[in-house]
Amino acid sequence: MAAADETPEAGFACADPTGDPLLRTRFALPARPATFVRRPRLTGHLDQALGTPLTMVNGSAGAGKTLLVADWASGLRHPVAWLTAESTDQAPGVFWAHVLQALRAAGVPVASEVGSPAEAGRVDQRTLTRLAAGLEGRDHPTVVVLDEFDRVVSREIAEQLEFVLHHAGQGLRLVLVTRTEALLPLHRYRASGEMTEIRDAELAFTPDEAHELLTRHGLHLSASAVQALVERTRGWAAGLRLCALAALQGTDPHTYLKQFEADHSAVADFLLAEVLDRQAPDTQDLLLRISVLERCCPDLVNVLTQRTDAEPILAALQRENAFVHYLGHSWYSLHPLFAEILRAHLRERFPGLEPELRSRAAQWLRRSGALPEALAQGAAADDWEFTARAVVDDLALGQLFTGLRSDDLSALFERMGPDVRGPAPDLVRAARELAGRDVEHGLAHLHRAEEELARDGATDPAAAGLTCALLEALAARLTGTPGRAERAAEQASALRPEVPGHLLDEHPELNALLLTHLGSARLWAGRFEDARNVLSAVAGRPGGAAMALPRWEALGHLALIDYLNGWLGRAEHKALAAAGQAQRYSLPQRSGAGLGTLVRAAVLIDRDELDEAQALLDEAAASHPRVADPVEEAGRVLTRGRLLLARGDARAALAAADAIVPAVMSSPWAEDHAAALASAAHLAQGHPESARKAVERVADRRAACAVQAARARLAAGHPQEALDMLDRLPETDRPGPAVTVRATLVRAQAAHELGDHTAAHRLVGRALLDGQREQLRLPFLECGPWIRPLLSTGRLRELAGGWLVPAAGHGRPAPAAQPQPPALVVEELSAREHDVLCRLAEMRSTEEIAADLHVSVNTVKTHLKSIYRKLAVSRRGDAVRRARDARIL
């Protein structure tokens, strides 16, 4: 333990060379308050001080330096000489008189020949030499702590201290507690590994330490609340303690901390007194002006201060730990609490100056290429004309749709009022509306912007025109208007050469988004190859996070094209690649984001993995956008219908086939596949004539429809007509296994019914070989009972073994089904809950159920919670299965 309390009264000198008394409090270890939190990670670091000549604990005001070192020193077995420096200690004689007294107060023997300085302005070199020699000769090192050493600014004293430290050798361990870099030759100690150092970042409280500190103050907060407070204060010890004390004075501490305003608190008083008021007037003015910035560099600060001396001032503030942090590459930032307080002080001292400073900063930041910061400053200054023009002229409006900065960019313009006029503000409004899928209002703003562009020369016409083309293409995609998308693409091609190349390189997402919208519109029109060309260009283009969402959407659309053509393996590969993009870049669920998920579900249906398909459809429904584009909506409806049919609910499948997808122009493939689904549903109900009528009108347009039409003819008892239809399959189609396997099975059934069993056997074998590669089980299940005897004997059983039927010679017959206990139903469902459950079984989204029942979404969610409780389940799919088991559905 430190020996200060055991020092006899006679050990204290009376006065320093000036005659001023030597105050006992300057030599005593500071007392730790009851709320003090021991921090073993830091005291453990300080233990290294016993092995290095020099230790520096360097942190800002209120960082907890002094109490940390005092706590550590109180636990040492070696004597600790403690001296709290004062600004009056600039004279060498005065400083060393206090150091010698600190040693004596700690019980460290100081030889009489060392003496004591007689003059305030000087110290005899022999005094320093004898002191160093005396310390060097001791058996155990003496720890000397100089607290608040930043107050000692004399180079002469620093040189003398370094002399004693060097010559005392292993006999002295010097610990400096300071807000600034000490004047000693620190570089030499660092280079030789002879220095222990704890700086501001390490002094910051961790969430666990902050939780203990707040608990000691009587505040019991949740982990998330503590984390938020630590982030707000950056772990600053004094800030945490002052917040706790202020919160305890109120009636509701938790609410106080949530609504904490730094500029009206004890924190503000502390920082203004301890940091701002200590600075020279010019430096105070600089701090007030840079408080409007998230980060700053000397050139930017000179613009705001209209001076040229920012660089040395910023460097000095950083050295002094004046809550100015160096970020590297000449950039600095203010502690967020300090900046908040300074901004309040700026508004009070210079009303109206803040918007002017922010506008100047916005202009400089944009010229420097820091567009996001420029936009933030322009918006904060309410300079909407500049902000909107900057985002349009720099081709950055496409970022509103990329998912990474979409929310930030949209929120930035929320405060832009309707009185702000011009083509750039209207383009921003159009983009925000279209991003929210409000096509009507988005187009109104877009058309007004296009009209204004002809009259307004303030906005770059080429950049604005390219942005218009992007928004036109998006509107075309959302409304199902392929012609409009083609015109937008032509407009973009004409304008692109007029846009500076570096802007196109910096914003590859703009062209990628435009091509994705064009590809989606072409897909809707049934122009699969044209769509594939532009979508492949997007999917294969690098570009990191900026290109992630366009690649994601392009891959999802390409997966759908492959699926519609019957190539399940290719479709699944692209859909999984799309999911990989989403996972890698943590993209939000937006329009097109569910398309890959829908394709994966559709593939699983063809493989008869219905529960897994249901889970994916539930996932897609949960993330379903408020209004999807027609491609995704059609894919969702048709996939849901196919799953319903596969589960045996033909009536609900027919309803899905009849669902209308809103679009200006109808889609040939969506109509064809809806007709095929309706036909299959009619067949499942035993109505072959209705099945024939449903599909034959489109049978000549698509191979899949021709195969379904042939199935209908076969079911009606016309096998030869079915074969004739297959012989007339459209030559333009190059269908994949999902189509060809079904066609082969229809031929096999026709041969079987015509009595050609050899051909039937051969065709089923071919279908098995082709189906195994894709694990296509559903086409065989759709065949009905005629195929089962074939699959149970001979070579066909071997071909089907292991993936379609149990492998020959393996396993045992499935045991007879045991009676199952009735499904648990906790409580009977109400009539309205039954209505909701029926629509849930049709895989409708919450929004669709609400619209159908003319109630709010929240009401539907309330019913769902009640249904889950009564059926003792927690998910949609489980609720439907439990209801069916209980014969509720």
Side-chain angles (χ1 to χ4, degrees):
M1 290 288 292
D5 294 336
E6 301 170 6
T7 306
E9 190 74 20
F12 283 91
C14 297
D16 66 23
T18 65
D20 289 335
L22 298 173
L23 302 174
R24 294 173 180 273
T25 53
R26 295 184 60 185
F27 309 112
L29 267 65
R32 275 79 68 206
T35 55
F36 175 76
V37 174
R38 295 207 68 198
R39 299 199 276 171
R41 66 180 178 89
L42 294 180
T43 53
H45 191 170
L46 274 174
D47 285 340
Q48 298 175 22
L50 299 177
T52 59
L54 178 63
T55 295
M56 185 170 68
V57 181
N58 186 349
S60 55
K65 308 178 295 295
T66 297
L67 291 181
L68 167 69
V69 176
D71 181 57
W72 168 75
S74 67
L76 294 179
R77 291 176 297 174
H78 308 294
V80 176
W82 185 284
L83 171 62
T84 300
E86 297 282 359
S87 55
T88 55
D89 294 345
Q90 306 308 314
V94 174
F95 174 80
W96 285 105
H98 281 85
V99 171
L100 291 170
Q101 188 58 37
L103 290 167
R104 295 185 182 104
V108 178
V110 177
S112 57
E113 60 265 23
V114 172
S116 186
E119 301 177 39
R122 63 179 296 273
V123 61
D124 194 297
Q125 185 64 31
R126 287 177 298 179
T127 296
L128 301 178
T129 301
R130 290 167 180 168
L131 173 61
L135 292 171
E136 195 272 338
R138 285 178 54 78
D139 295 336
H140 301 288
T142 298
V143 177
V144 175
V145 178
L146 300 181
D147 189 23
E148 300 195 36
F149 188 69
D150 47 279
R151 294 182 175 184
V152 179
V153 296
S154 167
R155 287 197 171 275
E156 184 179 1
I157 291 176
E159 291 171 359
Q160 293 166 350
L161 191 60
E162 205 278 325
F163 171 84
V164 172
L165 179 62
H166 175 71
H167 290 287
Q170 297 297 315
L172 175 60
R173 296 290 180 258
L174 179 63
V175 180
L176 304 180
V177 183
T178 176
R179 296 187 190 181
T180 65
E181 291 278 283
L183 297 176
L184 277 69
L186 302 179
H187 61 283
R188 291 212 305 262
Y189 288 95
R190 288 185 180 121
S192 62
E194 295 181 309
M195 181 175 173
T196 299
E197 198 166 4
I198 295 179
R199 303 185 71 85
D200 227 20
E202 194 175 355
L203 289 166
F205 271 62
T206 65
D208 287 343
E209 292 167 347
H211 182 272
E212 185 178 349
L213 176 67
L214 295 169
T215 301
R216 285 176 179 267
H217 280 82
L219 284 174
H220 302 281
L221 303 181
S222 65
S224 60
V226 173
Q227 179 67 42
L229 193 57
V230 169
E231 290 175 2
R232 184 84 185 279
T233 60
R234 298 278 175 89
W236 177 43
L240 289 167
R241 184 170 183 275
L242 291 170
C243 284
L245 292 173
L248 289 170
Q249 293 174 5
T251 56
D252 187 349
H254 292 73
T255 301
Y256 171 85
L257 291 174
K258 286 182 180 178
Q259 300 174 351
F260 170 68
E261 296 181 10
D263 54 312
H264 298 103
S265 68
V267 177
D269 297 337
F270 180 93
L271 286 173
L272 291 175
E274 289 292 324
V275 182
L276 185 66
D277 291 347
R278 287 191 175 198
Q279 307 300 330
D282 284 353
T283 303
Q284 290 187 29
D285 181 73
L286 180 145
L287 285 168
L288 291 171
R289 288 171 182 262
I290 68 172
S291 67
V292 303
L293 303 171
E294 289 294 321
R295 61 182 188 131
C296 61
C297 67
D299 288 345
L300 175 54
V301 175
N302 285 335
V303 168
L304 298 193
T305 60
Q306 298 181 321
R307 291 172 11 209
T308 60
D309 57 351
E311 187 168 5
I313 294 177
L314 289 171
L317 288 168
Q318 190 267 332
R319 285 195 304 271
E320 295 168 10
N321 280 314
F323 290 84
V324 175
H325 306 299
Y326 184 60
L327 304 176
H329 305 288
S330 298
W331 285 89
Y332 296 82
S333 71
L334 289 173
H335 189 289
L337 277 181
F338 190 32
E340 190 177 336
I341 293 162
L342 289 174
R343 283 194 295 274
H345 213 54
L346 173 70
R347 294 171 194 135
E348 182 179 327
R349 189 181 294 187
F350 303 109
L353 180 59
E354 183 179 354
E356 179 187 337
L357 293 172
R358 290 189 180 277
S359 289
R360 276 193 238 161
Q363 298 281 353
W364 187 93
L365 288 163
R366 188 188 173 197
R367 289 194 302 270
S368 301
L371 183 65
E373 292 170 273
L375 297 178
Q377 289 294 342
D382 286 331
D383 192 348
W384 297 110
E385 182 181 353
F386 162 84
T387 308
R389 193 169 65 249
V391 78
V392 171
D393 287 353
D394 283 32
L395 294 186
L397 201 55
Q399 293 180 353
L400 194 65
F401 305 97
T402 59
L404 300 177
R405 293 195 59 241
S406 304
D407 293 339
D408 292 342
L409 200 54
S410 181
L412 188 74
F413 287 97
E414 278 182 355
R415 293 190 300 105
M416 184 173 69
D419 55 314
V420 181
R421 304 302 299 271
D426 276 323
L427 281 175
V428 171
R429 293 187 183 99
R432 292 185 73 239
E433 299 288 5
L434 290 172
R437 306 302 183 257
D438 187 342
V439 178
E440 180 181 356
H441 289 95
L443 284 176
H445 292 305
L446 177 57
H447 293 157
R448 185 162 61 242
E450 289 170 336
E451 292 169 1
E452 292 167 335
L453 277 171
R455 305 189 302 267
D456 191 321
T459 300
D460 184 333
L466 205 54
T467 301
C468 286
L470 169 65
L471 300 182
E472 287 281 3
L474 174 56
R477 170 184 174 179
L478 294 175
T479 56
T481 319
R484 182 181 212 153
E486 296 292 345
R487 290 190 295 274
E490 292 171 3
Q491 177 188 356
S493 296
L495 287 170
R496 206 169 287 118
E498 300 178 25
V499 177
H502 73 276
L503 285 180
L504 294 173
D505 293 339
E506 290 170 7
H507 297 286
E509 73 279 353
L510 190 140
N511 189 54
L513 287 166
L514 195 151
L515 291 179
T516 302
H517 302 331
L518 175 63
S520 182
R522 286 178 175 178
L523 195 162
W524 181 246
R527 296 166 53 194
F528 288 180
E529 288 310 307
D530 291 338
R532 191 193 301 276
N533 288 337
V534 293
L535 292 168
S536 297
V538 176
R541 180 169 179 179
M547 286 288 295
L549 187 133
R551 281 197 302 265
W552 185 18
E553 290 199 320
L555 286 165
H557 282 75
L558 289 168
L560 180 60
I561 293 172
D562 282 337
Y563 177 79
L564 293 173
N565 285 330
W567 297 97
L568 270 60
R570 299 177 189 176
E572 183 180 44
H573 176 76
K574 292 183 176 68
L576 290 172
Q581 287 285 309
Q583 185 175 14
R584 179 179 178 184
Y585 293 101
S586 301
L587 293 174
Q589 298 287 349
R590 297 194 181 275
S591 176
L595 200 51
T597 302
L598 292 173
V599 170
R600 289 161 58 203
V603 169
L604 289 170
I605 294 168
D606 272 314
R607 292 174 177 164
D608 194 41
E609 298 176 20
L610 303 187
D611 288 344
E612 292 82 355
Q614 179 71 68
L616 288 174
L617 279 175
D618 289 345
E619 178 185 328
S623 63
H624 185 58
R626 187 161 51 88
V627 180
D629 64 77
V631 170
E632 183 174 342
E633 182 66 14
R636 188 176 65 85
V637 170
L638 291 172
T639 305
R640 185 181 70 189
R642 292 189 65 249
L643 180 57
L644 287 166
L645 183 60
R647 287 196 181 281
D649 193 344
R651 183 178 63 84
L654 269 176
D658 291 338
I660 297 174
V661 176
V664 172
M665 187 193 103
S666 60
S667 170
W669 66 263
E671 286 186 344
D672 294 349
H673 283 269
L677 174 61
S679 175
H682 284 304
L683 278 185
Q685 291 178 321
H687 303 142
E689 184 59 24
S690 297
R692 181 187 66 79
K693 289 179 180 178
V695 76
E696 278 197 357
R697 61 187 176 83
V698 297
D700 293 335
R701 299 203 313 221
R702 201 168 301 278
C705 296
V707 172
Q708 181 56 41
R711 284 187 68 211
R713 292 292 181 94
L714 193 59
H718 305 293
Q720 190 57 53
E721 291 182 15
L723 290 174
D724 292 342
M725 292 201 74
L726 292 180
D727 290 338
R728 297 196 304 270
L729 281 175
E731 295 182 0
T732 54
D733 271 7
R734 289 180 293 173
V739 177
T740 59
V741 167
R742 284 182 169 88
T744 303
L745 289 172
V746 171
R747 290 184 183 276
Q749 185 178 356
H752 181 269
E753 293 184 6
L754 290 170
D756 190 349
H757 300 296
T758 301
H761 195 280
R762 173 175 51 79
L763 289 167
V764 170
R766 184 197 305 172
L768 286 169
L769 287 171
D770 292 342
Q772 183 178 14
R773 285 191 288 270
E774 299 277 9
Q775 297 292 291
L776 275 165
R777 300 180 185 88
L778 191 62
F780 295 90
L781 299 176
E782 293 170 340
C783 285
W786 72 269
I787 199 172
R788 291 173 192 160
L790 294 178
L791 295 178
S792 63
T793 58
R795 180 172 177 272
L796 295 184
R797 180 175 178 86
E798 292 179 5
L799 290 175
W803 71 277
L804 186 60
V805 298
H810 291 80
R812 294 173 295 179
Q818 297 296 320
Q820 296 295 318
L824 173 65
V825 179
V826 176
E827 182 181 344
E828 185 177 352
L829 301 184
S830 69
R832 179 58 85 181
E833 289 166 353
H834 189 269
D835 291 340
V836 171
L837 183 60
C838 289
R839 286 157 179 80
L840 200 66
E842 295 172 2
M843 286 178 286
R844 300 194 190 187
S845 68
T846 306
E847 291 79 4
E848 289 174 324
I849 296 173
D852 197 35
L853 296 178
H854 304 289
V855 296
S856 71
V857 171
N858 284 336
T859 299
V860 174
K861 290 180 178 178
T862 300
H863 286 317
L864 286 174
K865 288 180 182 177
S866 180
I867 291 168
Y868 294 163
R869 178 182 59 79
K870 290 180 179 181
L871 297 180
V873 297
S874 59
R875 299 195 309 175
R876 288 168 166 250
D878 294 338
V880 174
R881 282 190 288 274
R882 178 63 53 81
R884 284 181 177 142
D885 292 343
R887 308 249 189 258
I888 296 173
L889 289 177

